Amino acid sequence: MTDAQRYLQAYDEQLRTDAETPSAVAVMLEGPLRLVTFAGGRGFVTYRDLGGADGDAVRGLVASAIEHFSADASIDRVEWKTRGHDHAPGLHEALVANGFEAGEPESIMIGPLSALAEAGDTPEGVTLRRVETEPDVRAMSAMVDEAFGESVDARQADALVSRLARADGMELWVAEVDGEMVSGGRLEPVPGTDFVGIWGGATLEAHRHRGIYRALTAARARSALAQGKTLVHSDSTDDSRPILERSGLVRVSTTTPYDWTR
């Protein structure tokens, strides 16, 4: 097996389980599907595989998922997480027919955590630190929304504050210039596995291409190594993928989010 094949096998076996949704408020099983409810009115659909379902069965699974989430008035948006290597005949068509819209595909990147820890030195004038207080978490969340070109979503900040209060292992890291947060991201150790996730990385446009994101990634990786983790995974945009590739991660598949809004 190649490195990519070994990593993909580990990804499917270790991450596509309860480990994928540690902060879930509730999880319901519908056949092979995991129908997940998160705080803040967000639903999520994932699975280890679709159990060899044919086109008719796939359409039935999508309809069941929508029925489940539609019945809960507190949920106003749902993400169905697809993977490019899955056998899922007719899934795109079934999702679109039920009101989902496809987002931008991202690369599933996996590799040795030790290499990522050496991703880059901290640029002069930049400070890296963990954030743990509610004001800092809200400031970080707003900055990341801005960096992604999105409106500030207070519900996302609420969910992060709630998770820190539960101490589920998530870490939030930021880079600052002259006391201003300019880049941020999450570290998600996955209990009972070799993996840690690097998520939500974003840098304000005016501070890009200076090595800040690389340094922030390396800091998170060093924190994970201290916890005994050995592998790292991330869903990466075209902006962050080259940074991870230079640090020894490989693209093992793709993932595309499909979003439904009430």
Side-chain angles (χ1 to χ4, degrees), residues 33-34 95 113 119 141 153 170-171 173 186 219 224 229 233:
L33 303 182
R34 299 173 56 79
L95 290 170
L113 188 57
S141 184
D153 187 350
M170 176 190 70
E171 296 180 8
W173 286 77
R186 305 194 317 275
K229 298 300 184 182
H233 74 107

Side-chain angles (χ1 to χ4, degrees), residues 128-161:
L128 307 176
R129 67 180 178 94
R130 283 180 62 180
V131 298
E132 299 177 291
T133 67
E134 182 171 344
D136 275 350
V137 172
R138 294 191 181 280
M140 172 191 167
S141 184
M143 179 272 297
V144 169
D145 286 339
E146 179 184 348
F148 278 124
E150 300 172 352
S151 300
V152 174
D153 187 350
R155 295 174 301 181
Q156 176 66 15
D158 291 342
L160 293 174
V161 169

Side-chain angles (χ1 to χ4, degrees), residues 5 36 61 73-75 99 159 176 193 227 253:
Q5 289 170 328
V36 183
L61 289 171
S74 70
I75 295 178
E176 295 175 317
T193 76
Q227 300 176 44
S253 187

Side-chain angles (χ1 to χ4, degrees), residues 100-106 255-259:
F100 284 87
E101 294 185 3
E104 290 296 321
E106 295 184 335
T255 178
T256 302
Y258 283 72
D259 296 310

Side-chain angles (χ1 to χ4, degrees), residues 165-252:
R166 294 200 303 274
D168 63 8
M170 176 190 70
E171 296 180 8
L172 302 176
W173 286 77
V174 297
E176 295 175 317
V177 175
D178 296 328
E180 175 193 1
M181 294 182 186
V182 301
S183 183
R186 305 194 317 275
L187 178 70
E188 299 268 10
V190 186
T193 76
D194 300 321
F195 282 96
V196 65
I198 299 287
W199 300 102
T203 303
L204 295 177
E205 186 171 6
H207 295 273
R208 293 171 188 168
H209 310 299
R210 294 179 51 196
I212 294 176
Y213 178 78
R214 287 196 300 274
L216 187 68
T217 299
R220 287 181 285 173
R222 289 191 292 270
S223 180
L225 281 171
Q227 300 176 44
K229 298 300 184 182
T230 59
L231 293 174
V232 61
H233 74 107
S234 182
D235 296 346
S236 299
T237 65
D238 287 341
D239 290 331
S240 58
R241 180 163 59 89
I243 297 171
L244 299 179
E245 287 177 330
R246 287 194 294 270
S247 299
L249 276 70
V250 297
R251 181 177 183 264
V252 300

